[in-house]
């Protein structure tokens, strides 16, 4: 039974509704000249960065002999759940063009971009300031209603010919070329993570592909210390490939979510890869799915990033996942029950990405 609604719930929904009605997104607030962050963006708990400084994510040169690349990828996935890749085969021009196209689209005049604004999907795309999922009845809230970012989200129909005419024309070709260029890298990473790192044949999952792309634009913020660019979460997929500009803002929390938040500095020419919850399940906890967030770093510069999420093409309601049998032993029995992708997503929505981990629901408990 759902908990009763409160006055605060209704007020929160009205604040988000009124913001969406402007159709301007966060970029519209900046264009209006706001000097202070509106209440729906204020983080109840200001984001605090560790005094220890930055986290140097492991870097893997994919031009190394395969055995060396396998060892490095496996070690990074086991220890941290995040690593960078260089010499990855994706042309620098393709990455730069995609990031520039996302920036250019968001920096169009209001009259050019507002017709695309809709919190509900239009065809294959969503362009909006997406509200932060919040579980009912959790007080006090630990996150704002909205992150300081505008997002263009593209869903690729990876089981057939995609219908992508709804992608805004100013960035359509650059984003399609970026997604196509990452196809080979996705196959290589699947092989390194499964066959190399776990000793499991990559073909066991069928074809994997980048079927969801999230393009985030974080406008300059007048009070960067009071907002979140992205709330804390672990990704749900197999793995994510992230391209970002040089502004920074990505942070990770290691030590199974109990550590301090540390900056992950952008590395020119590198792409970031992080393990998702689905691969954590399949690996029977051999791999970590790192908790991460984005903070606002600048009152003058926007931040642009593109996350491409890789999954098995077959991940519908009749496709079941559980730890690979060869990774289940008497010493380390299965840590998770059999689940579907849609079950996992539904549980994440119910929890609002909150603690405890969205995977706790599926853990096998000993009697």
């Amino acid at each position: 039974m759902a908990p009763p609604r409160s006055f605060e719930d209704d007020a929160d929904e009205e604040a988000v509704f009124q913001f969406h009605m402007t159709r301007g997104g966060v970029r519209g607030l900046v264009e209006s000249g706001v000097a202070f962050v509106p209440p729906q963006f204020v983080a109840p708990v200001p984001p605090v960065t560790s005094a220890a400084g930055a986290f140097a994510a492991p870097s893997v040169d994919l031009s190394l002999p395969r055995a060396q690349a396998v060892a490095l990828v496996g070690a990074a996935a086991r220890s941290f759940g995040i690593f960078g890749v260089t010499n990855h085969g994706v042309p620098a021009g393709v990455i730069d063009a995609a990031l520039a196209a996302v920036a250019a689209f968001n920096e169009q005049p209001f009259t050019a971009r507002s017709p695309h604004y809709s919190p509900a999907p239009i065809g294959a795309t969503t362009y909006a300031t997406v509200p932060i999922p919040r579980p009912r009845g959790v007080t006090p809230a630990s996150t704002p209603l909205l992150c300081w970012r505008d997002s263009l989200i593209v869903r690729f129909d990876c089981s057939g010919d995609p219908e992508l005419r709804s992608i805004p024309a100013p960035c359509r070709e650059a984003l399609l070329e970026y997604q196509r260029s990452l196809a080979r890298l996705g196959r290589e990473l699947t092989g390194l993570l499964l066959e190399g790192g776990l000793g499991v044949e990559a073909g066991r999952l069928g074809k994997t592909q980048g079927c969801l792309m999230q393009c985030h634009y974080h406008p300059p913020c007048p009070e960067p210390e009071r907002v979140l660019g992205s709330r804390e979460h672990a990704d749900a997929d197999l793995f994510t490939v992230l391209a970002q500009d040089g502004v920074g803002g990505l942070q990770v929390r290691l030590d199974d979510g109990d550590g301090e938040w540390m900056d992950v500095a952008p590395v020119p020419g590198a792409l970031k890869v992080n393990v998702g919850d689905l691969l954590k399940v399949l690996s029977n906890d051999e791999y970590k799915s790192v908790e991460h967030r984005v903070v606002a770093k600048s009152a003058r510069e926007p931040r642009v990033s593109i996350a491409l999420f890789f999954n098995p093409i077959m991940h519908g309601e009749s496709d079941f996942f559980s730890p690979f049998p060869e990774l289940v032993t008497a010493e380390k029995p299965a840590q998770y029950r059999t689940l579907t992708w849609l079950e996992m997503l539904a549980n994440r929505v119910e929890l609002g990405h909150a603690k405890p981990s969205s995977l706790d629901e599926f853990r096998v408990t000993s009697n």
Side-chain angles (χ1 to χ4, degrees):
M1 181 177 178
R5 292 184 58 80
S6 66
F7 172 79
E8 288 79 7
D9 290 332
D10 292 336
D12 287 349
E13 289 191 5
E14 178 64 19
V16 173
F17 174 77
Q18 292 298 332
F19 171 77
H20 285 322
M21 288 297 291
T22 68
R23 303 180 67 85
V26 181
R27 174 71 183 176
L29 293 175
V30 174
E31 291 171 328
S32 72
V34 292
F36 303 99
V37 173
Q40 60 266 38
F41 292 91
V42 175
V45 179
V48 176
T49 303
S50 168
F55 166 67
S59 181
V60 182
D61 182 345
L62 294 183
S63 69
L64 290 171
R66 182 175 173 82
Q68 294 183 41
V70 162
L72 291 170
V73 166
R78 284 179 169 85
S79 299
F80 306 112
I82 184 171
F83 54 94
V85 290
T86 59
N87 290 315
H88 40 65
V90 183
V94 170
I95 300 172
D96 292 343
L99 292 170
V102 172
F105 168 72
N106 282 275
E107 291 168 3
Q108 294 179 106
F110 171 83
T111 53
R113 71 176 190 277
S114 63
H116 298 282
Y117 191 97
S118 173
I122 299 177
T125 67
T126 301
Y127 171 58
T129 303
V130 180
I132 296 176
R134 177 168 294 174
R136 295 287 185 189
V138 175
T139 55
S142 60
T143 55
L145 296 174
L146 295 165
C147 283
W148 192 264
R149 73 181 186 196
D150 298 324
S151 300
L152 176 64
I153 301 171
V154 183
R155 299 164 186 84
F156 298 91
D157 181 4
C158 291
S159 61
D161 293 330
E163 173 52 71
L164 297 171
R165 286 178 294 181
S166 58
I167 301 177
C171 53
R172 184 184 304 147
E173 288 307 315
L175 294 183
L176 290 177
E177 179 60 25
Y178 180 74
Q179 195 252 1
R180 287 192 292 264
S181 294
L182 259 70
R184 186 202 61 78
L185 176 60
R187 291 192 296 271
E188 183 175 3
L189 289 170
T190 301
L192 291 171
L193 286 162
L194 295 189
E195 294 176 351
L198 298 174
V200 174
E201 182 184 356
R204 289 265 294 281
L205 294 177
K207 186 177 182 182
T208 60
Q209 197 162 332
C211 296
L212 177 67
M213 179 185 290
Q214 295 185 355
C215 308
H216 299 309
Y217 179 87
H218 305 261
C221 182
E223 298 177 289
E225 70 284 351
R226 302 188 71 198
V227 303
L228 282 172
S230 174
R231 71 151 299 166
E232 67 275 7
H233 67 286
D235 293 340
D237 56 348
L238 277 177
F239 59 87
T240 307
V241 178
L242 176 72
Q244 57 183 328
D245 62 17
V247 172
L250 176 65
Q251 295 187 331
V252 296
R253 183 159 61 182
L254 306 176
D255 302 324
D256 295 323
D258 295 324
E260 297 180 300
W261 287 103
M262 302 185 71
D263 290 326
V264 183
V267 177
L271 293 169
K272 285 287 188 295
V273 180
N274 64 274
V275 172
D277 278 350
L278 183 56
L279 185 51
K280 178 179 170 67
V281 168
L282 292 169
S283 75
N284 203 31
D285 277 350
E286 283 292 306
Y287 288 166
K288 294 185 177 183
S289 55
V290 67
E291 189 178 17
H292 54 283
R293 70 180 184 183
V294 174
V295 297
K297 284 290 187 182
S298 177
R300 299 181 180 85
E301 292 183 280
R303 176 184 186 266
V304 180
S305 67
I306 302 175
L308 189 59
F309 299 84
F310 284 81
N311 264 326
I313 287 180
M314 305 301 291
H315 59 274
E317 61 184 12
S318 61
D319 300 301
F320 295 93
F321 300 97
S322 60
F324 288 121
E326 50 266 69
L327 302 180
V328 177
T329 64
E331 293 75 24
K332 188 175 184 181
Q335 302 297 298
Y336 302 95
R337 67 169 176 83
T338 299
L339 56 91
T340 68
W341 165 258
L342 297 181
E343 274 187 290
M344 190 166 66
L345 287 188
N347 190 57
R348 289 167 68 89
V349 171
E350 181 70 19
L351 289 174
H353 296 279
K355 295 291 186 182
S357 165
S358 57
L359 286 180
D360 287 355
E361 172 74 17
F362 307 106
R363 281 196 175 275
V364 175
T365 57
S366 58
N367 294 324

